[in-house]
């Protein structure tokens, strides 16, 4: 494979790879925020509800 | 005995040596007078002077009389810490202990800008190949666009150790020049109206469990997808776990201060051992310096254009200030500060700092992920 084609392929896979990684991290953060909310925040919400 | 035997250095010094001594002096000047990344540029500058005095004992020399190698301290340090990647990895522990990921957890979608703003790495990789560098060299040059010194050092010490000197100089110099490089690029790509866009702030608190789990989750995911990136990402996340666990405050402070300081000194001066005239005074060096600038410009381009693309799909009132995209690079907190100041210049009541910091933290993760991917991908193509 000539170096330019290889570089273009690395660019495509690399950029897609970073976005996939970051998207997985994004989903992980959303899940962690959902399943492990800050207790002090949860208490405030409960108090307000009461 | 004649004067030539008494002062052999004076009779063996070449213009290339003088150029390198000047380069070293300029780096020292920039570090002290302009405060451009002084922690690294000063040791590198002084080291450049040390290794460019003919017959220097700071680097390994061949004794002309016996033909035996006489080991120099900087060469020993280089072998002990750079060629086996120990120093960059240790500095990652220190950086991990310094990073607070919590701003990112408040606006996790800004993590995606940490991906978009790595575009400069790959654009520069292609440019470097077009200029005649081989793939490994091109990847090492491209990684300057990570705007992350240790990642640049880590990748280039593996793929192109002969280019480590100019790559490190370019990476650290441009990181210091972010306030000069980014604003004109951002202004060129955005309209006044776009720069005035305000973004909603969220005062959300993050649980300790999330902060502790995050470095572990990232390490496991990175390890599963790209095992060759595990050292790079794992050491960074290990440092962060020390910070967030809450029971190792002493170790966290040591990593942030003593470890960071000691390794930075060793890293800077060891890199200088590669900055010899024979290796540095070449056309390649000028090309690397030029390509490094291109990498930073196209990082900014990638981030801003991605924000503009997302805005196409967002309703009025929910749009992102496209300048935030430029913060997806790893230069923390310079990039966030630059964008916040630019926002305030357009509208003094526009407070972009929190969003900018979130994207900037995303850039710190993005740069390490990009480094890990480069480490995984290049061997598949060479």
């Amino acid at each position: 494979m000539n170096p330019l084609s290889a570089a273009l392929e690395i660019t495509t896979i690399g950029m897609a790879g970073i976005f996939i990684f970051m998207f997985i991290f994004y989903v992980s953060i959303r899940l962690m925020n959902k399943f492990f909310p800050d207790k002090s925040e949860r208490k405030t919400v409960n108090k307000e509800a009461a | 005995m004649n004067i030539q035997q008494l002062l052999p250095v004076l009779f063996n010094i070449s213009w290339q040596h003088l150029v390198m001594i000047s380069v070293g002096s300029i780096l020292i000047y920039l570090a002290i007078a302009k405060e451009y990344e002084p922690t690294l540029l000063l040791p590198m500058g002084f080291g450049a002077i040390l290794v460019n005095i003919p017959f220097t004992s700071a680097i390994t020399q061949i004794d002309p009389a016996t033909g035996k190698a006489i080991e120099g301290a900087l060469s020993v340090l280089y072998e002990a810490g750079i060629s086996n990647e120990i120093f960059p990895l240790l500095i990652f522990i220190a950086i991990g202990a310094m990073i607070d990921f919590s701003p990112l957890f408040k606006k996790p979608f800004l993590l995606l800008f940490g991906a978009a703003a790595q575009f400069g790495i790959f654009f520069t990789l292609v440019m470097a190949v077009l200029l005649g560098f081989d793939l490994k060299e091109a990847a090492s040059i491209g990684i300057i666009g990570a705007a992350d010194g240790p990642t640049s050092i880590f990748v280039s010490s593996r793929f192109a150790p002969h280019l480590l000197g100019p790559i490190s100089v370019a990476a650290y110099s441009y990181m210091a020049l972010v306030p000069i490089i980014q604003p004109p690029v951002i202004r060129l790509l955005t309209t006044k109206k776009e720069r005035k866009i305000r973004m909603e702030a969220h005062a959300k608190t993050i649980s300790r469990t999330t902060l502790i789990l995050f470095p572990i989750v990232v390490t496991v995911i990175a390890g599963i997808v790209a095992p060759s990136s595990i050292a790079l990402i794992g050491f960074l996340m290990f440092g962060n776990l020390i910070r967030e666990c809450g029971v190792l405050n002493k170790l966290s402070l040591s990593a942030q201060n003593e470890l960071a300081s000691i390794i930075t000194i060793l890293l800077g001066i060891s890199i200088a051992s590669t900055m010899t005239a024979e290796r540095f005074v070449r056309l390649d060096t000028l090309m690397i310096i030029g390509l490094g600038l291109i990498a930073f410009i196209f990082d900014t381009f990638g981030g801003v254009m991605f924000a503009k693309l997302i805005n196409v799909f967002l309703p009025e009132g929910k749009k992102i200030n496209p300048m935030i995209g430029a913060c997806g690079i790893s230069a923390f907190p310079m990039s966030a500060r630059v964008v916040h100041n630019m926002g305030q210049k357009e509208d003094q009541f526009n407070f972009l700092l929190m969003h900018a910091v979130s994207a900037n933290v995303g850039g710190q993760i993005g740069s390490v992920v990009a480094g890990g991917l480069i480490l995984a991908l290049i061997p598949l193509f060479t």
Side-chain angles (χ1 to χ4, degrees):
Chain A
M1 186 183 272
N2 83 59
L4 184 61
S5 316
L8 290 170
E9 202 168 323
I10 290 168
T11 300
T12 312
I13 301 171
M15 280 311 290
I18 297 177
F19 272 102
I20 291 168
F21 258 106
M22 296 307 233
F23 185 73
I24 296 171
F25 294 156
Y26 165 74
V27 173
S28 314
I29 293 173
R30 291 296 298 262
L31 289 175
M32 285 189 284
N33 277 343
K34 190 180 163 105
F35 290 112
F36 307 106
D38 187 41
K39 278 176 188 162
S40 57
E41 199 177 50
R42 204 164 44 187
K43 273 178 196 165
T44 320
V45 173
N46 289 344
K47 267 184 194 172
E48 278 170 8
Chain B
M1 186 174 279
N2 58 29
I3 189 145
Q4 208 163 335
Q5 288 168 308
L6 272 175
L7 292 168
V9 170
L10 283 184
F11 291 91
N12 283 281
I13 201 157
S14 64
W15 67 268
Q16 288 95 335
H17 289 124
L18 293 174
V19 167
M20 284 312 295
I21 291 170
S22 309
V23 168
S25 307
I26 291 169
L27 292 180
I28 293 171
Y29 168 77
L30 291 175
I32 298 171
K34 303 283 179 188
E35 292 190 34
Y36 287 172
E37 296 288 332
T39 49
L40 222 97
L41 289 191
L42 191 137
M44 280 169 71
F46 194 77
I49 295 174
L50 268 181
V51 301
N52 283 291
I53 294 170
F55 311 115
T56 175
S57 61
I59 51 173
T60 302
Q61 302 275 0
I62 305 292
D63 184 353
T66 62
K68 280 185 181 170
I70 303 168
E71 284 194 331
L74 292 188
S75 305
V76 172
L77 275 177
Y78 180 87
E79 289 302 320
I82 306 266
S83 62
N84 56 16
E85 298 159 358
I86 292 289
F87 289 164
L89 288 178
L90 288 176
I91 206 83
F92 270 113
I93 296 180
I95 294 170
M98 289 177 201
I99 300 179
D100 176 10
F101 286 126
S102 55
L104 188 63
F105 295 166
K106 292 171 189 169
K107 283 253 178 185
F109 79 91
L110 292 174
L111 197 60
L112 296 176
F113 292 110
Q118 307 305 322
F119 176 64
I121 297 176
F122 296 98
F123 182 83
T124 308
L125 187 153
V126 175
M127 288 290 112
V129 165
L130 285 173
L131 285 172
F133 289 97
D134 68 35
L135 260 185
K136 285 185 173 179
E137 290 172 336
S140 306
I141 296 166
I143 206 73
I144 296 172
D148 174 349
T151 303
S152 303
I153 294 167
F154 190 85
V155 172
S156 54
S157 64
R158 182 170 298 182
F159 289 148
H162 55 290
L163 299 179
L164 186 58
I167 287 172
S168 307
V169 170
Y172 280 97
S173 306
Y174 290 134
M175 272 162 62
L177 292 173
V178 158
I180 297 167
I181 298 169
Q182 285 203 311
V185 182
I186 295 171
R187 269 195 292 269
L188 195 71
L189 297 171
T190 55
T191 63
K192 206 172 174 62
K193 192 183 165 197
E194 285 173 324
R195 293 196 291 274
K196 282 185 174 177
I197 293 176
R198 291 186 183 183
M199 289 170 71
E200 232 177 279
H202 287 279
K204 190 177 175 185
T205 50
I206 305 300
S207 74
R208 196 172 148 224
T209 314
T210 303
L211 290 171
I212 292 171
L213 277 178
F214 184 67
I216 302 169
V217 169
V218 169
T219 307
V220 172
I221 293 171
I224 292 168
V225 182
S228 54
S229 69
I230 199 79
L232 199 65
I233 296 172
F235 273 62
L236 182 83
M237 292 301 155
F238 171 59
N240 191 252
L241 184 60
I242 292 176
R243 174 199 174 95
E244 300 297 352
C245 70
V247 293
L248 293 174
N249 288 344
K250 210 172 156 187
L251 287 194
S252 170
L253 288 174
S254 300
Q256 291 176 47
N257 298 299
E258 289 83 1
L259 181 68
S261 303
I262 293 168
I263 298 298
T264 304
I265 291 174
L266 294 175
L267 197 63
I269 203 134
S270 311
I271 290 168
S273 70
T274 66
M275 292 174 68
T276 53
E278 306 82 66
R279 283 190 185 186
F280 207 95
V281 185
R282 301 169 60 157
L283 184 62
D284 286 3
T285 304
L286 285 179
M287 287 204 276
I288 290 168
I289 304 282
L291 286 166
L293 181 60
I294 288 174
F296 271 67
I297 290 172
F298 278 88
D299 280 346
T300 310
F301 173 86
V304 172
M305 294 314 283
F306 182 65
K308 287 173 76 122
L309 177 71
I310 287 183
N311 276 347
V312 173
F313 304 101
L314 291 176
E316 209 57 51
K318 291 274 177 194
K319 291 201 187 293
I320 297 163
N321 189 315
M323 292 197 295
I324 295 293
C327 300
I329 63 168
S330 181
F332 183 89
M334 272 104 73
S335 191
R337 218 181 286 151
V338 164
V339 163
H340 174 70
N341 290 340
M342 285 184 76
Q344 292 231 301
K345 257 188 199 165
E346 301 292 345
D347 170 5
Q348 57 171 325
F349 300 108
N350 194 1
F351 297 96
L352 294 172
L353 192 62
M354 274 315 289
H355 307 285
V357 166
S358 301
N360 216 174
V361 174
Q364 288 182 300
I365 300 175
S367 68
V368 181
V369 170
L373 282 168
I374 292 271
L375 289 175
L377 287 172
I378 295 297
L380 303 178
F381 289 86
T382 49

